[in-house]
Amino acid sequence: VSKMSITNTPTSNDACLSIVHSLMCHRQGGESETFAKRAIESLVKKLKEKKDELDSLITAITTNGAHPSKCVTIQRTLDGRLQVAGRKGFPHVIYARLWRWPDLQKNELKHVKYCQFAFDLKADNVCVNPYHYERVVSPGIDLSGLTLSSTLMVKDEYEFENQPSHSGVDGHHQTIQHQPSRPGGPQELFSSSALLPPPEGSSSASTSAFSSLAAGASTPDYWCSIAYFEMDVQVGETFKVPASCPTVTVDGYVDPSGGDRFCLGQLSNVHRTEAIERARLHIGKGVQLECKGEGDVWVRCLSDHAVFVQSYYLDREAGRAPGDAVHKIYPSAYIKVFDLRQCHRQMQQQAATAQAAAAAQAAAVAGNIPGPGSVGGIAPAISMSAAAGIGVDDLRRLCILRMSFVKGWGPDYPRQSIKETPCWIEIHLHRALQLLDEVLHTMPIADPQPLD
């Protein structure tokens, strides 16, 4: 008869499943059952080879820390964080939250003196024994300012390791949150400039330069075209939005599409899985895209679920590198996602940089290596070749928005790219693409064939 059946407490010799089951009974309930189970399974598997540590963990948890226990260690990762079920968090915090304090914040843990592998000791292994840490709430922290973000928390299938109080400014979170503004309340937690149209006449110099440039070609008949994808497969025809419909709605209903409405509900796909089917049910009223002025674009989330957007304009507003972040736009938020002037400036700069770098590279190959700073300030060979590697596709990307319904992607989620999300759209902005054509005619880059 195994010890398990007598005392009902497993030992390191028992099957992983029984150990996980027993440890699950002691969780504090702050996390979903799925998350808790994944976190505990992952830990038990890592400790299977270290029987004494696994026994220490079992003892500590099942006796609620009544008996002294040894360190329970896992290997430290490069950034110190552990990924469980698509979420990243500090390992000692994840397990202390699971078994001791469900509302624990990451900076409230202090290790006990006898813990040899405490997280702060920066050893190669990290102790995750929750009874090797004490909770300290730092005095003098003013919590009054945090009420806004805590009331706006929206539980998502995959939440962050803890909600950032400033929409992901703290570097760890690659998903930047955009909440609806409250009438009369404080503006968005992120840069409010993205919310408000620029005051009339504020950028007159750039406007006049821009208008004269725009005089070259007539504006396109369609202001954008929208392609709908499920994972990496385009489903249905690309939908073109006429210039006469500056506002277009993309929703999940089954009405026929046309004019200012693209309905995704009626599109069929032989490769559609059950997960995609489920996600599609939540598109609901979807999103509204609005073209303002000559080609700025605003998005309103009409769905009951957030949408996730890739937008170089919002990256820049948030002080991030282009393509570095994913923007979570909450239900009923209305937000600017594309700025035509900024895009035009960016494509001109990139094309000029690429051209200068290509020229410098050609000169270097021919043996005339220019001195530092001589060609557009690009001296080191590495940045030179990187800049020369800017191709037409990189510039086209500036003119494209991508948006996923219901499911996010990126470092905070199990899906690494938008092509792994169940239902998403790609929006090509025709006025921007037209300007790109003009830029490439004046500064042909890399590819010697002209773009048609």
Side-chain angles (χ1 to χ4, degrees):
V1 183
S2 79
K3 183 178 170 207
M4 166 97 186
S5 54
I6 302 166
T7 64
N8 219 9
T9 301
T11 71
S12 56
N13 295 319
D14 285 297
C16 281
L17 268 177
S18 349
I19 300 174
V20 170
H21 180 75
S22 170
L23 296 176
M24 279 289 281
C25 300
H26 294 268
R27 67 196 179 90
Q28 294 299 307
E31 299 287 4
S32 72
E33 188 173 356
T34 323
F35 179 83
K37 194 159 183 250
R38 295 271 280 279
I40 296 172
E41 275 171 353
S42 132
L43 181 57
V44 170
K45 280 182 186 149
K46 286 181 181 139
L47 297 173
K48 248 331 205 179
E49 301 305 306
K50 301 191 275 192
K51 291 196 183 302
D52 54 333
E53 293 191 20
L54 184 50
D55 281 323
S56 278
L57 176 73
I58 296 168
T59 304
I61 302 305
T62 55
T63 64
N64 296 328
H67 299 294
S69 51
K70 297 208 244 346
C71 284
V72 175
T73 62
I74 61 173
Q75 205 172 353
R76 182 184 290 272
T77 57
L78 280 175
D79 69 352
R81 295 184 302 155
L82 178 70
Q83 180 148 338
V84 177
R87 282 167 39 185
K88 276 193 159 188
F90 295 112
H92 62 312
V93 177
I94 290 178
Y95 294 107
R97 207 178 268 166
L98 209 61
W99 283 307
R100 292 192 72 182
W101 305 285
D103 59 343
L104 178 75
Q105 296 298 312
K106 65 181 171 205
N107 45 4
E108 294 177 340
L109 285 184
K110 191 174 129 215
H111 60 91
V112 295
K113 286 197 172 60
Y114 52 84
C115 178
Q116 296 172 315
F117 294 97
F119 183 80
D120 292 338
L121 299 178
K122 302 262 191 291
D124 287 348
N125 287 334
V126 180
C127 176
V128 293
N129 183 338
Y131 292 94
H132 277 204
Y133 294 89
E134 289 162 353
R135 185 174 189 180
V136 288
V137 178
S138 352
I141 290 183
D142 172 22
L143 296 177
S144 60
L146 297 178
T147 49
L148 180 65
S149 61
S150 51
T151 52
L152 291 176
M153 278 184 200
V154 175
K155 277 291 172 207
D156 181 318
E157 177 193 351
Y158 300 100
E159 272 301 347
F160 303 140
E161 45 116 4
N162 73 325
Q163 281 283 3
S165 49
H166 299 292
S167 331
V169 178
D170 68 29
H172 281 330
H173 301 298
Q174 308 297 295
T175 308
I176 297 176
Q177 304 184 30
H178 302 275
Q179 309 278 4
S181 48
R182 298 280 185 271
Q187 272 303 343
E188 250 60 347
L189 299 172
F190 74 110
S191 152
S192 56
S193 58
L195 288 169
L196 309 167
E200 288 309 309
S202 61
S203 51
S204 51
S206 61
T207 316
S208 57
F210 195 78
S211 317
S212 60
L213 175 144
S218 57
T219 48
D221 296 340
Y222 297 93
W223 71 267
C224 76
S225 50
I226 306 170
Y228 168 65
F229 292 83
E230 291 176 0
M231 312 292 274
D232 57 354
V233 176
Q234 181 174 349
V235 176
E237 299 287 308
T238 299
F239 182 79
K240 288 181 162 184
V241 185
S244 56
C245 301
T247 302
V248 59
T249 306
V250 183
D251 60 41
Y253 301 120
V254 294
D255 303 326
S257 299
D260 62 355
R261 191 166 169 214
F262 185 16
C263 296
L264 306 176
Q266 36 91 19
L267 299 174
S268 57
N269 171 13
V270 291
H271 303 292
R272 187 171 293 154
T273 61
E274 207 177 315
I276 295 175
E277 200 66 84
R278 271 200 311 272
R280 277 169 54 84
L281 293 175
H282 294 297
I283 297 174
K285 294 180 181 168
V287 293
Q288 204 172 51
L289 303 169
E290 190 179 342
C291 179
K292 290 192 174 183
E294 200 181 330
D296 292 354
V297 181
W298 290 61
V299 165
R300 180 176 267 118
C301 178
L302 304 173
S303 171
D304 295 336
H305 293 263
V307 291
F308 295 82
V309 177
Q310 185 180 49
S311 149
Y312 289 174
Y313 169 77
L314 286 178
D315 292 344
R316 191 164 173 157
E317 288 292 302
R320 303 297 276 268
D324 183 40
V326 176
H327 301 269
K328 181 174 185 176
I329 298 184
Y330 281 86
S332 77
Y334 176 58
I335 194 167
K336 183 175 181 177
V337 292
F338 181 79
D339 183 290
L340 189 66
R341 277 182 188 80
Q342 186 210 63
C343 173
H344 184 238
R345 275 198 303 274
Q346 225 171 340
M347 59 176 79
Q348 282 178 314
Q349 281 163 1
Q350 287 195 14
T353 307
Q355 230 187 358
Q361 237 183 354
V365 170
N368 325 319
I369 297 179
S374 58
V375 180
I378 301 175
I382 291 176
S383 60
M384 208 161 73
S385 59
I390 296 175
V392 173
D393 280 350
D394 299 293
L395 294 174
R396 283 179 70 84
R397 229 167 267 146
L398 300 173
C399 313
I400 294 171
L401 292 166
R402 287 174 156 187
M403 192 178 299
S404 165
F405 295 98
V406 190
K407 300 290 182 186
W409 77 93
D412 298 319
Y413 293 88
R415 298 161 288 274
Q416 287 315 295
S417 115
I418 195 169
K419 293 184 176 179
E420 294 168 38
T421 63
C423 35
W424 58 281
I425 52 177
E426 184 170 87
I427 303 141
H428 288 239
L429 302 169
H430 294 187
R431 182 69 188 112
L433 286 162
Q434 193 180 35
L435 290 177
L436 175 59
D437 252 10
E438 292 177 18
V439 168
L440 291 169
H441 278 302
T442 52
M443 286 186 272
I445 64 167
D447 201 327
Q449 285 88 40
L451 270 177
D452 49 30

